[in-house]
Amino acid sequence: MTSRFTIIRDTAAAAAIPKGSVVAMGNFDGVHLGHRAVIEAALKMSRSHGKPAFAVTFEPHPRKFFSPNTPQFRLTDETNKLRLLAGTGLAGAVVMTFDAARAGTTAQDFIHHDLIARLGVSGIAVGYDFHFGKGRVGSPALLVSEAAQLGIEVDVQPYIDIDERPVSSSAIRMALEEGQISDATAMLGGPWFVTGEVIHGEKRGRDLGYPTANIRLSKECSLRHGIYAVRVGRGQGKDHRRFDGVASFGRRPTFDNGAPLLEVFLFDFTGDLYGTTLDVAFIGFIREELIFDSVEALIRQMDDDAAVARTMLAAAPDAFPKLGNID
């Protein structure tokens, strides 16, 4: 039986935070391989110290605070970020509200008030590019300098690259925008996924012989429009079920060219999914979105897409995001 993943927010009393904990700090958008190196360093440190390890992260993402009117394509919303963190072996997460007060906190105050006085940390793990405090003047070097004087261990992880391409959340976003699913998967250490509630659509898929589960993604999602091979998760724990499928993300140019919608066809499934929450993991990009001259041509293409998706999924590792329970 796994231990409960504890989420601690700004409103929690200081007594709720286990003193002497080790923390992995970062925004952790996507919880990619670079983030996982920081988390593993914190876990290793926590075993050495005999203390629990927590993530320290910030919500909303600082980019959203500083540029509220600029679309921000997040790899993971807050809930899915926490679910991924809960699947790493961490004891919990400290979620700090990023607001005007946080943006105005000096780096020294963040170290001495938040990390030392409030959290009482015994160790800190960060990535090489982690910056914090007013004006982003806080750096890993400052953490090492300040914390070392207080006997607090600091581990700074170097960048990770794949084929000489540094792993970063921005590089993963770019890969998804280009439909480069294999590149995104490699940098994440597993498939990128989205979560959403199945909503009613126009029922066109049913008439075409491909009834779909329709999910409205964030307006800021800039995943390339097209057809994908996907794996779909439903439920948690002993109730978790997995399905293979093929999905379309886009505007349906043959019909209405409307707002972007994720439409997922689950292979070998019958039943009602309306109101159900699904996790959809993207395994491979099949083709771009096209306009068809006839419904018959569209159905022939959908048959081909389903066959390609089955082949892709059969050849792909049986991977799915490792998600923890945060309920």
Side-chain angles (χ1 to χ4, degrees):
M1 183 175 179
T2 57
S3 58
R4 182 180 178 83
F5 185 79
T6 302
I7 300 173
I8 299 167
R9 300 187 182 275
D10 294 347
T11 54
I17 305 166
K19 300 305 178 187
S21 297
V22 173
V23 296
M25 292 201 299
N27 289 313
F28 296 118
D29 187 22
V31 193
H32 58 58
L33 290 182
H35 299 145
R36 291 177 184 274
V38 173
I39 291 166
E40 186 51 47
L43 290 169
K44 182 178 179 181
M45 202 185 301
S46 77
R47 292 190 289 268
S48 174
H49 293 197
K51 297 290 185 179
F54 284 76
V56 169
T57 190
F58 307 88
E59 288 292 338
H61 194 290
R63 288 197 318 271
K64 192 66 176 177
F65 172 80
F66 288 115
S67 302
N69 298 319
T70 301
Q72 307 287 350
F73 175 22
R74 286 186 58 159
L75 300 175
T76 44
D77 60 16
E78 179 180 352
T79 296
N80 278 343
K81 176 172 70 173
L82 292 172
R83 292 172 74 200
L84 284 168
L85 290 173
T88 64
L90 291 168
V94 178
V95 182
M96 295 185 174
T97 302
F98 200 93
D99 53 15
R102 176 70 58 201
T105 300
T106 67
Q108 285 78 8
D109 280 349
F110 178 75
I111 294 171
H112 293 280
H113 178 267
D114 292 290
L115 298 181
I116 297 172
R118 180 167 168 73
L119 301 183
V121 301
S122 66
I124 303 168
V126 295
Y128 73 100
D129 58 349
F130 180 71
H131 287 81
F132 59 96
K134 185 177 181 180
R136 288 173 51 85
V137 299
S139 65
L142 179 65
L143 272 176
V144 171
S145 173
E146 294 281 325
Q149 299 178 38
L150 300 167
I152 296 171
E153 185 178 357
V154 178
D155 186 302
V156 180
Q157 287 292 300
Y159 76 87
I160 290 177
D161 67 84
I162 297 176
D163 297 330
E164 300 184 352
R165 183 184 183 185
V167 172
S168 69
S169 297
S170 59
I172 296 167
R173 289 186 201 100
M174 185 178 299
L176 293 172
E177 289 167 355
E178 296 173 351
Q180 300 295 330
I181 297 301
S182 59
D183 287 352
T185 300
M187 289 187 280
L188 286 165
W192 179 69
F193 77 106
V194 295
T195 301
E197 180 179 324
V198 178
I199 61 174
H200 288 272
E202 298 296 327
K203 309 293 192 299
R204 292 194 190 98
R206 182 181 303 171
D207 295 336
L208 297 172
Y210 285 89
T212 58
N214 302 323
I215 298 172
R216 189 78 66 190
L217 303 186
S218 165
K219 293 179 180 179
E220 298 175 333
C221 176
S222 54
L223 173 69
R224 182 180 179 183
H225 290 182
I227 311 302
Y228 295 86
V230 297
R231 287 201 174 101
V232 180
R234 176 186 183 186
Q236 299 185 78
K238 62 181 178 61
D239 297 322
H240 180 75
R241 295 188 64 193
R242 187 90 53 80
F243 305 92
D244 284 351
V246 61
S248 168
F249 178 63
R251 296 182 178 276
R252 306 160 304 285
T254 299
F255 296 105
D256 59 7
N257 206 36
L261 184 69
L262 178 64
E263 302 171 279
V264 186
F265 174 69
L266 277 60
F267 299 145
D268 311 313
F269 173 84
T270 56
D272 184 355
L273 290 170
Y274 293 121
T276 301
T277 297
L278 300 179
D279 296 314
V280 182
F282 292 77
I283 306 302
F285 180 79
I286 297 174
R287 64 171 175 83
E288 64 184 5
E289 197 170 34
L290 301 173
I291 300 176
F292 295 88
D293 294 332
S294 68
V295 170
E296 291 74 19
L298 171 59
I299 293 173
R300 287 194 296 271
Q301 183 63 61
M302 292 170 73
D303 291 341
D304 290 344
D305 295 339
V308 172
R310 287 184 184 273
T311 300
M312 277 187 175
L313 291 162
D318 186 24
F320 199 78
K322 186 177 180 181
L323 304 171
N325 190 349
I326 61 171
D327 293 337

